[in-house]
């Protein structure tokens, strides 16, 4: 079953649910069983189902070897409530699925879940527009200079924009950008963070994965800049932070045996009570730390866990979308889990399972979970939290690529620009998101987008009747040197060129001026004698 990885896309949790059901129904051994003085064909016991599904999940990359038998039992209980399976008498959901010899079977109706209806993304209207080059203010000009009006894109305008190429230099002025407000900075971070997340996840669209109305730009900015030296988020409102007694309990376990700040007497089992205190706090939170709104985002990251760098970057970006109190709690919890698992001085916290397994079972669902209780959140959470615990030092760093792109964009907006007279109109729109295309397509678009206005400029020069023939030939020659491809497309042959460009009158030397008159050849009559 290894390699049954479902590609990233919308509603991936539902896809995983349906795929797991298909694998279970398609491979579960069915045979005849004897019960209640009769035979039942195509049936299986509860213990047989757990044995098979447990091995199936452990060998499937989407879940991995961390899956326990108890988690498999919990999943089968969800299957039982969702009527994926039923008992031998056709009952389902009224009792718990048990790990015993009780008989079960598959129902004839399809148990697959339909995909949930999600609000569609409305193009780019929901996205903050990036600040454009035309958001500027002019530097002080002379009083006698009239303000320029917006121009229509004509050949004259292109003549001015390409004045260097055709031999003229127009009047120019300096302009500078408007001051970027804090609200605009927040929007830039939001737009570029969401675009970066989409690119890292390898999705053509975030439709069904992330509702942009749930993305708070202030959260992103706070998570980037309001941190201490170790990278932990600093909260402005202390009332949003964890209670002092929870923080003390976490420090006690993380620094065991030197973390008992309260100087309370240590008795046998003291460390287990401290852990239970921390677990009670996190398990009573209203929603998981990664929030219900971001559930699909983090489930999509599961497909990237094989590539450590890609998965780490995806977690770095998506982690910026968290509310700052959630991000702080998650940072402290994962650091606690990692230290407890690596502390050789800490006594065993459970008599039957290892400390690592205990920590994952106790806190995974506090980190990731869905609003739908029928999802695979417990198994998926174990897989994701395992990776996050092992890489907790790096997943909370701000991606260097994203930070560099944002800083470069804002630096670009603050630069002073030279603008030529008549070039006030800016026909370019700066989209919030860009679709990645191949290099060949990019080159074609560049050529087409450049040649169209240049062709208009060339036609304008040709049609200009007020321009003397001498100057027209001169400018056309300069145009040919600057844009040979456009010139060649317009005049592929000498005949096409001669049809629109006035011919040059040759200058004659003084001693050849008599040639201006038509040459009359000497005519002589001949007579023949018979």
């Amino acid at each position: 079953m290894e390699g049954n990885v479902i590609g990233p896309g919308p509603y991936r949790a539902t896809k995983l649910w349906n795929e797991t059901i298909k694998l279970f129904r398609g491979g579960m051994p069915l045979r005849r069983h004897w019960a209640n003085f009769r035979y039942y064909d195509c049936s299986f016991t509860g213990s047989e189902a757990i044995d098979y599904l447990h091995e199936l999940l452990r060998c499937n990359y989407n879940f991995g070897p961390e899956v326990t038998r108890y988690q498999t039992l919990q999943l089968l209980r969800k299957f039982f409530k969702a009527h994926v399976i039923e008992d031998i008498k056709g009952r389902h959901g009224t009792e718990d699925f048990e790990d015993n010899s009780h008989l079960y079977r598959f129902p004839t109706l399809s148990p697959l879940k339909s995909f949930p209806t999600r609000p569609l993304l409305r193009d780019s209207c929901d996205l903050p527009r990036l600040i454009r080059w035309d958001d500027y203010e002019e530097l002080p000009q002379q009083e006698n200079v009239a303000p320029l009006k917006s121009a229509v894109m004509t050949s004259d305008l292109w003549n001015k924009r390409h004045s260097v190429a055709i031999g003229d230099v127009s009047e120019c002025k300096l302009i500078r950008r408007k001051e970027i407000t804090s609200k605009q900075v927040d929007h830039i971070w939001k737009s570029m963070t969401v675009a970066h997340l989409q690119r890292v996840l390898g999705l053509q669209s975030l439709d069904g994965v992330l509702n942009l109305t749930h993305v708070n730009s202030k959260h992103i900015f706070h998570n980037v800049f309001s941190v201490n030296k170790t990278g932990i988020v600093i909260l402005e409102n202390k009332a949003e932070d964890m209670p002092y007694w929870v923080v003390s309990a976490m420090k006690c376990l993380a620094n065991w045996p030197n973390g008992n700040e309260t100087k309370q007497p240590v008795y046998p089992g003291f460390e287990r009570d401290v852990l239970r205190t921390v677990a009670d706090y996190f398990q009573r939170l209203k929603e998981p730390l990664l929030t219900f709104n971001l559930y699909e985002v983090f489930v999509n990251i599961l497909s990237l866990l094989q590539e450590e760098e890609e998965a780490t970057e995806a977690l770095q970006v998506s982690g910026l979308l968290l509310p700052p109190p959630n991000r702080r709690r998650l940072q402290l919890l994962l650091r606690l889990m990692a230290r407890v698992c690596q502390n050789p001085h800490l006594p065993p916290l459970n008599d039957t399972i290892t400390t690592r397994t205990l920590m994952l079972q106790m806190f995974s669902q506090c980190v990731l979970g869905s609003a739908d209780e029928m999802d695979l959140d417990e198994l998926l959470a174990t897989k994701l939290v395992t990776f996050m615990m092992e890489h907790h030092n790096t997943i909370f760093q701000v991606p260097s690529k994203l930070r560099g792109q944002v800083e470069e964009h804002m630096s670009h907006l603050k630069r002073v620009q030279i603008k030529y007279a008549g070039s006030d109109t800016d026909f370019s729109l700066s989209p919030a998101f860009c679709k990645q295309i191949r290099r060949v397509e990019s080159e074609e678009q560049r050529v087409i987008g450049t040649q169209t206005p240049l062709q208009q400029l060339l036609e304008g020069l040709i049609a200009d009747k007020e321009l003397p023939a001498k100057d027209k030939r001169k400018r056309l020659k300069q145009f040919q040197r600057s844009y040979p491809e456009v010139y060649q497309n317009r005049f592929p042959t000498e005949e096409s060129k001669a049809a629109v460009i006035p011919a040059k009158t040759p200058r004659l030397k003084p001693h050849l001026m008599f040639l201006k008159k038509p040459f009359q050849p000497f005519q002589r009559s001949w007579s023949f004698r018979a």
Side-chain angles (χ1 to χ4, degrees):
M1 296 300 176
E2 187 175 1
N4 291 314
V5 181
I6 300 175
Y11 319 123
R12 189 171 186 273
T14 303
K15 288 185 177 182
L16 281 173
W17 171 272
N18 290 342
E19 182 70 13
T20 304
I21 293 174
K22 289 179 182 179
L23 294 174
F24 177 52
R25 285 173 61 98
M28 178 67 203
L30 305 177
R31 60 187 181 88
R32 174 180 290 188
H33 289 83
W34 173 263
N36 300 325
F37 303 103
R38 60 169 293 185
Y39 285 107
Y40 294 94
D41 293 325
C42 300
S43 60
F44 52 88
T45 67
S47 299
E48 290 172 347
I50 294 178
D51 291 338
Y52 176 78
L53 185 57
H54 185 213
E55 187 62 25
L56 172 67
L57 296 175
R58 285 172 52 85
C59 296
N60 189 297
Y61 172 74
N62 290 296
F63 308 103
E66 299 287 347
V67 177
T68 63
R69 187 176 179 85
Y70 176 76
Q71 290 175 325
T72 306
L73 172 61
Q74 293 296 101
L75 177 58
L76 282 167
R77 286 176 175 171
K78 290 186 178 182
F79 282 176
F80 191 54
K81 290 181 179 180
H83 203 191
V84 176
I85 57 178
E86 61 186 14
D87 72 2
I88 204 62
K89 295 183 180 180
R91 296 172 298 189
H92 63 90
T94 56
E95 301 175 357
D96 273 343
F97 184 93
E98 300 295 340
D99 185 1
N100 54 27
S101 59
H102 191 77
L103 293 183
Y104 299 89
R105 67 188 182 190
F106 292 120
T108 55
L109 299 177
S110 173
L112 302 182
K113 292 171 57 176
S114 59
F115 289 100
T117 303
R118 302 289 180 89
L120 296 178
L121 223 74
R122 296 176 296 174
D123 300 328
S124 60
C125 58
D126 291 335
L127 307 178
R129 179 184 69 84
L130 291 179
I131 302 177
R132 303 187 322 202
W133 265 106
D134 55 354
D135 298 332
Y136 66 87
E137 62 183 7
E138 298 181 8
L139 291 174
Q141 303 289 326
Q142 296 180 359
E143 295 182 359
N144 58 352
V145 178
L148 293 173
K149 298 181 180 180
S150 59
V152 179
M153 182 64 69
T154 61
S155 60
D156 293 336
L157 175 58
W158 269 93
N159 194 317
K160 294 176 181 179
R161 285 192 171 184
H162 293 260
S163 57
V164 175
I166 61 178
D168 293 335
V169 178
S170 304
E171 177 187 2
C172 63
K173 61 182 178 180
L174 295 180
I175 58 176
R176 65 185 174 194
R177 304 299 130 214
K178 294 179 180 179
E179 292 296 330
I180 304 177
T181 64
S182 59
K183 184 177 180 180
Q184 290 174 327
V185 172
D186 291 343
H187 283 180
I188 291 174
W189 272 101
K190 174 180 177 178
S191 180
M192 301 192 76
T193 299
V194 174
H196 195 77
L197 175 63
Q198 178 179 333
R199 184 164 55 253
V200 173
L201 293 179
L203 301 178
Q204 296 181 350
S205 169
L206 291 178
D207 181 23
V209 176
L210 177 63
N211 188 340
L212 294 181
T213 59
H214 297 149
V215 179
N216 191 320
S217 57
K218 292 188 178 297
H219 290 171
I220 299 175
F221 189 83
H222 188 104
N223 292 332
V224 172
F225 296 102
S226 297
V227 296
N228 58 19
K229 294 181 179 180
T230 59
I232 304 295
V233 172
I234 301 174
L235 300 180
E236 297 178 356
N237 184 3
K238 298 301 181 182
E240 297 178 339
D241 203 354
M242 292 183 293
Y244 174 76
W245 53 270
V246 177
V247 178
S248 298
M250 296 176 70
K251 288 182 179 180
C252 178
L253 281 178
N255 301 313
W256 187 273
N258 302 316
N260 189 6
E261 295 180 351
T262 60
K263 306 301 180 182
Q264 294 181 358
V266 177
Y267 52 84
F270 174 77
E271 65 283 347
R272 298 189 181 189
D273 290 342
V274 175
L275 176 61
R276 194 174 297 109
T277 299
V278 177
D280 287 343
Y281 170 77
F282 282 98
Q283 291 171 357
R284 291 178 181 178
L285 295 176
K286 294 181 180 180
E287 67 174 346
L289 296 176
L290 296 181
T291 74
F292 291 139
N293 294 330
L294 298 178
Y295 177 73
E296 287 285 349
V297 174
F298 287 97
V299 169
N300 272 270
I301 296 178
L302 287 169
S303 62
L304 304 176
L305 296 186
Q306 282 182 318
E307 301 294 336
E308 182 177 324
E309 292 185 3
E310 294 182 7
T312 300
E313 185 176 5
L315 288 171
Q316 288 175 342
V317 180
S318 55
L320 296 176
L321 308 181
L322 294 172
N326 288 42
R327 183 178 172 91
R328 177 178 171 83
R329 291 186 182 98
L330 182 60
Q331 288 177 291
L332 296 176
L333 177 60
L334 291 176
R335 188 172 66 171
L336 169 68
M337 295 172 64
R339 290 188 178 183
V340 167
C341 293
Q342 298 169 0
N343 190 350
H345 304 291
L346 191 65
L349 298 175
N350 190 280
D351 297 331
T352 57
I353 59 178
T354 64
T355 299
R356 176 187 174 88
T357 303
L358 175 65
M359 300 301 287
L360 291 174
Q361 287 187 3
M362 189 172 287
F363 294 109
S364 289
Q365 286 192 288
C366 304
V367 176
L368 179 68
S370 66
D372 183 3
E373 63 176 10
M374 293 303 175
D375 274 333
L376 305 171
D377 39 302
E378 184 175 354
L379 298 174
L380 300 179
T382 302
K383 179 78 173 178
L384 182 65
V385 174
T386 300
F387 183 90
M388 296 177 71
M389 182 179 67
E390 294 173 348
H391 301 83
H392 72 281
N393 288 326
T394 56
I395 62 174
F396 291 106
Q397 298 175 3
V398 180
S400 57
K401 293 181 182 178
L402 175 61
R403 184 190 288 271
Q405 290 171 357
V406 174
E407 291 177 351
E408 181 180 357
H409 181 75
M410 289 194 291
S411 175
H412 174 71
L413 297 173
K414 296 176 182 178
R415 297 191 187 110
V416 174
Q417 182 191 18
I418 298 177
K419 216 160 194 178
Y420 292 96
S423 62
D424 298 333
T425 305
D426 190 351
F427 290 86
S428 62
L429 296 178
S430 299
F433 290 89
C434 298
K435 179 181 179 182
Q436 186 175 4
I437 60 176
R438 294 181 293 109
R439 184 183 298 273
V440 176
E441 296 176 354
S442 174
E443 184 65 21
E444 291 176 354
Q445 292 182 8
R446 183 189 68 79
V447 173
I448 294 174
T450 304
Q451 288 187 353
T452 300
L454 290 176
Q455 291 170 355
Q456 296 175 358
L457 173 61
L458 179 58
E459 295 297 334
L461 287 175
I462 296 173
D464 192 348
K465 297 180 179 180
E466 297 181 359
L467 190 65
K470 177 181 177 182
D471 294 340
K472 180 179 292 189
R473 285 193 298 271
K474 179 180 178 182
R475 293 195 179 187
L476 288 174
K477 198 169 189 179
Q478 292 172 336
F479 187 97
Q480 181 181 12
R481 288 197 300 267
S482 301
Y483 310 107
E485 295 181 0
V486 179
Y487 190 89
Q488 179 64 28
N489 291 335
R490 180 63 178 84
F491 303 114
T493 62
E494 291 295 329
E495 289 77 7
S496 61
K497 179 179 177 181
V500 295
I501 300 178
K504 182 178 180 181
T505 303
R507 298 180 61 183
L508 300 178
K509 297 181 180 180
H511 64 280
L512 297 178
M513 291 298 291
F514 70 95
L515 291 178
K516 282 188 174 182
K517 295 182 179 180
F519 175 71
Q520 300 292 335
F522 175 75
Q523 296 182 358
R524 181 177 179 178
S525 60
W526 298 84
S527 61
F528 298 92
R529 296 180 180 180

